[in-house]
Amino acid sequence: MRLKIVAGNWKMNMLKEGGENLASEIVKLVSEHKLDNSIKLILSPPAIHLANLSSILDGQTQVSLAAQNVHQELKGAFTGEISASILASFGLEYVIIGHSERRQYFSESDQLLAQKVKAALEQNLQVIFCCGEGLEVRQAGNHLAYVSKQLTNGLFDLPKESFEKITIAYEPIWAIGTGETASPEQAQEMHAHLRKHIAAKYGNDIAENTSILYGGSCKPSNAKELFACADVDGGLIGGASLKAKDFIAIAQSF
Ligand code: PEP
């Protein structure tokens, strides 16, 4: 059975104390609300918070950490970058790769993302691979083909065993940080399409076990109807992950 996941992408937010308080509050609420064991929570803070937050999360099995990015090389003269081997040496479990903001503002191509995925998997990190179309692509009716091509280009060179370490996050760019959410029908259509696309390449078992998250203005008021869709296995949450109560309310929406 595939994992239900609610991951919080803090982006470039949270000063030291705010980040510590947010993580501590989430830990407290998780134990108070006794979240179902089938649900995994992931926090993805700015990288400098990771070591500190791993102490705050020590002993927690339900809450993990993810980096927001990783370099494609394992070491060397790449000032300002962090490699998968460094992340793994700090005990990190997950990394987000291919967020639309990285694709847009840092010109990360599908080919570069494929290299990053490979580097992360070689270090035994689990990958949350983001994909999603812009508004013009959707308006032109090309969204299904566009997003499945992002998966093909970024992931489909992987051997079957490696694909088991991949979680997909479908994030339509027109819904990220805009307050506009994909309707449950739009999310379900894309998620079912991506699952079929994965099945065609890796077989039904792998496809059925791959968690596909929805991201884009997901909040407590709309999470329930999105998570009720058969192929939506949780969410990648931006803005609403910065408030512990909202984040936990979203995790309670399955
Ligand atoms: C995101 O950036 O991953 C995201 C989904 O943001 P928001 O929830 O704020 O739309």
Side-chain angles (χ1 to χ4, degrees):
M1 220 184 63
R2 53 187 183 256
L3 212 53
K4 293 173 187 159
I5 297 174
V6 175
N9 176 12
W10 295 7
K11 310 193 187 194
M12 199 171 71
N13 294 299
M14 288 295 160
L15 305 184
K16 182 173 185 293
E17 207 183 328
E20 288 166 1
N21 290 343
L22 178 55
S24 303
E25 175 93 17
I26 288 169
V27 169
K28 187 167 146 257
L29 291 175
V30 167
S31 67
E32 278 174 15
H33 290 278
K34 294 196 175 53
L35 273 189
D36 194 285
N37 272 337
S38 63
I39 302 167
K40 176 101 189 150
L41 298 186
I42 300 172
L43 312 183
S44 189
I48 197 164
H49 282 284
L50 286 168
N52 211 4
L53 293 203
S54 78
S55 313
I56 293 174
L57 300 183
D58 198 25
Q60 276 284 327
T61 49
Q62 211 164 356
V63 192
S64 296
L65 290 172
Q68 295 176 9
N69 180 34
V70 66
H71 195 266
Q72 64 277 19
E73 299 292 337
L74 291 185
K75 63 175 185 162
F78 300 101
T79 302
E81 293 293 317
I82 302 181
S83 70
S85 48
I86 294 173
L87 293 174
S89 75
F90 276 86
L92 206 77
E93 283 180 76
Y94 289 88
V95 58
I96 297 174
I97 293 179
H99 192 280
S100 60
E101 287 151 18
R102 300 279 333 160
R103 293 176 188 259
Q104 184 180 348
Y105 304 133
F106 301 93
S107 306
E108 295 195 353
S109 65
D110 285 350
Q111 288 65 32
L112 176 69
L113 297 175
Q115 290 174 33
K116 290 185 175 213
V117 168
K118 201 161 159 274
L121 294 174
E122 276 169 12
Q123 296 302 309
N124 264 329
L125 296 173
Q126 309 227 35
V127 170
I128 300 174
F129 184 82
C130 301
C131 53
E133 80 288 356
L135 192 56
E136 309 89 87
V137 174
R138 176 154 287 262
Q139 284 172 341
N142 295 329
H143 47 290
L144 297 177
Y146 182 91
V147 180
S148 44
K149 191 150 184 266
Q150 288 181 319
L151 254 58
T152 303
N153 293 345
L155 299 174
F156 281 12
D157 272 345
L158 296 174
K160 205 170 177 170
E161 324 74 82
S162 299
F163 206 87
E164 288 166 3
K165 286 187 164 277
I166 303 287
T167 295
I168 307 291
Y170 167 59
E171 302 203 300
I173 297 168
W174 46 270
I176 295 183
T178 58
E180 178 141 357
T181 319
S183 67
E185 293 74 23
Q186 287 171 321
Q188 172 56 24
E189 179 195 38
M190 180 62 79
H191 285 225
H193 170 73
L194 295 179
R195 203 177 300 288
K196 253 202 189 148
H197 189 57
I198 295 166
K201 168 77 181 170
Y202 292 105
N204 273 332
D205 279 2
I206 297 271
E208 281 306 314
N209 284 319
T210 302
S211 299
I212 307 181
L213 316 182
Y214 168 79
S217 301
C218 183
K219 42 190 183 267
S221 58
N222 59 25
K224 224 181 186 74
E225 53 176 14
L226 286 161
F227 295 178
C229 298
D231 287 285
V232 176
D233 306 309
L236 179 54
I237 319 296
S241 72
L242 300 176
K243 289 193 183 129
K245 285 202 175 103
D246 286 355
F247 188 60
I248 295 298
I250 291 171
Q252 290 178 304
S253 301
F254 287 102

